[in-house]
Amino acid sequence: MAMPQTIEAVRHPYANGEVKRMLINGEWVRAASGKTFESRNPATGDLLATVAEGDAEDINRAVGAARAAFEGPWSKFKPYERQALLLKIADLVEKHYDELSLLDTLDMGAPVSRTRGTRQRVLGMLRWYAGMATSIHGETIENSLPGEYFSYTLKEPIGVVGAIIPWNGPLGASIWKIGPALATGCTVILKPAEEAPLTPLRLGELLIDAGVPPGVVNIVPGYGETAGAALAAHPGVDKVAFTGSHLTGQLIVQASAGNLKRVSLELGGKSPDIVFADADLETAVPGAGMAVFANSGQICSAGTRLFVERKVYDEFTEKVAAYGRSLKVGDGRDPEVQVGPLVSAEQLERVTGYLAIGQKEGAKPLTGGARLTNGNMSKGYFVPPTVFANVKDDMRIAQEEIFGPVISAIPFTDVDEVIRRGNATTFGLGSGVWTRDVSKAHRLAKGLRAGSVWINCYQAMDPAVPFGGYKMSGYGRESGIQQMEEYLNVKAVWIKTA
């Protein structure tokens, strides 16, 4: 496995030693409590910034600002004006993209080769949402009542949105929530993850530069147990859009009951990635590997249950292990690094705990299997690409979401069997199929109970294509016209004309 080089410490312009304040009503303010928390580089442990720690009082202020904006000036913006604003935001994000991508790398560890590589997706989302801003419409409906009645529907913004995002892709996650809110005419309070709040806050500066009116977008960093919980339960919030663990998602559903706010949830996964013997194995090896090793496995739809047809199981799993060993692990600032650190000490403890559990249960690590501490990695949270063989369906590493670069390789024999076993999980977010047989591809696409099925690829994403889960992976969709509906109410209008 390739080892990292020494990276020269150069301070990011946003990590300038000043306390990062929260954005409420167009102003950068300190937390009402005066509390702050630290944000550190997970590759080195170095302090990046001290950040205002929001809690219930700050959320209350932000909701008040969002409500006033929604009922005030923002409600008078025409679709064309919202579109122009989103396009201006896209231009500013594009201008500052290298800075934003490096900030993602510093704050949560993803290799800069990955964060820079999401340029098309991030900018594409903003410009797609801009297009959707002028595409919202109701419909006229022919009704069957006796007499003269004209009936039609209006699509109206749902109101104040509480958006809670994870730490595994701060820039993209922020835009995935803010974009549809602006396009539909909603206002939003964004609660970034405490592990990686810097990029969302820097994005807030660009939103102000673009001319987003005060109160339309508010950004309140803080902890999930305080700021996040307050946002989910606040009676002034009309909708919560959440991405994160299924356990937190369940708490949000409970908190939403107070005013029956709309909720959309994109939660965890334990996705099957299925490789048939007739697949193009040379393509499937890196495809199956990076379905898990990308972003150090910190992707909710990662294909962590690797089902391999028994006749090629030993050969294929060894090749995936060899591929994992070939990847360069280290500080994400190095453009040659392919696997960075985990985001935090807490996440490191979780993942290494599962490494121990897997071996205790009888799984065999073909590569990886332990934390990396040599050289410059001793201060960071590094786990190498790991491939477990001899995995059984009932092992914890095959059933529970690890959220690390860990593959559980499981043999199978036939199509019906692998569909049944692939579905034998409480989750249903992503899935992959590798085969040259078109009939198999269609059978698996229909048979797998997951929100996305990738055939001979993995993690393909586009702003126009919906993404979301079945079962414990949540409900509602991100991207696509389906996401826009999550931010809109439908009003029926009846007019008696005679």
Side-chain angles (χ1 to χ4, degrees), residues 10 85 120 258:
V10 178
L85 183 59
Q120 178 178 333

Side-chain angles (χ1 to χ4, degrees), residues 289-348:
M290 293 311 286
V292 180
F293 302 149
N295 210 31
S296 297
Q298 298 169 129
I299 300 175
C300 47
S301 53
T304 50
R305 289 186 300 147
L306 179 60
F307 288 93
V308 183
E309 193 166 358
R310 189 175 295 278
K311 64 180 72 174
V312 295
Y313 177 83
D314 291 337
E315 172 194 356
F316 188 80
T317 53
E318 284 289 353
K319 285 185 176 181
V320 174
Y323 177 77
R325 286 190 291 271
S326 76
L327 298 176
K328 184 172 182 177
V329 181
D331 190 322
R333 291 175 293 172
D334 181 346
E336 295 183 359
V337 161
Q338 296 153 292
V339 178
L342 299 172
V343 73
S344 65
E346 181 182 8
Q347 189 63 15
L348 176 68

